[in-house]
Amino acid sequence: MESKQEEYTLKILGQLQELFEEDCENYISMAELENNANAADFFHALANLAPAVVYTKLTKKEAGSLDFNHIANRLCFQNAKVKPAEPAVNNL
């Protein structure tokens, strides 16, 4: 059984995929994203701006993109899969 995170990820990716289909009302051309400035704007909107808006709407707490970035970093740390430390090797 997949986790809720996997379930949500797949649902979000499904919706994002539609952005790149020509019949989508909010269509974004892959050719448009070949321009580095456009790609940077797209990833900033995807990774920072849109999640901050969703967070603010769901929690009723105001969060700008930098505030949300801190929240996202805490979530990354909270959900990190930490590998056990390997024993130190003495190379004498």
Side-chain angles (χ1 to χ4, degrees):
M1 181 167 173
E2 65 187 29
S3 72
K4 275 298 192 185
Q5 290 180 8
E6 291 169 324
E7 176 188 342
Y8 294 148
T9 299
L10 291 173
K11 288 180 177 186
I12 292 167
L13 288 173
Q15 292 298 300
L16 286 173
Q17 179 59 40
E18 288 186 22
L19 288 174
F20 303 104
E21 295 172 4
E22 289 186 16
D23 60 342
C24 177
E25 177 183 346
N26 297 307
Y27 172 67
I28 298 171
S29 162
M30 293 300 284
E32 180 178 340
L33 298 180
E34 289 174 2
N35 174 300
N36 286 342
N38 290 345
D41 288 342
F42 174 79
F43 284 113
H44 180 57
L46 177 66
N48 299 307
L49 302 177
V53 170
V54 172
Y55 177 84
T56 297
K57 286 185 183 257
L58 290 176
T59 64
K60 308 289 190 258
K61 295 177 184 175
E62 200 60 38
S65 61
L66 187 57
D67 296 322
F68 183 77
N69 186 271
H70 291 292
I71 293 164
N73 284 335
R74 283 196 307 267
L75 288 170
C76 286
F77 182 77
Q78 174 184 318
N79 290 284
K81 306 263 191 270
V82 179
K83 294 181 183 179
E86 294 186 23
V89 178
N90 189 347
N91 293 329
L92 294 178

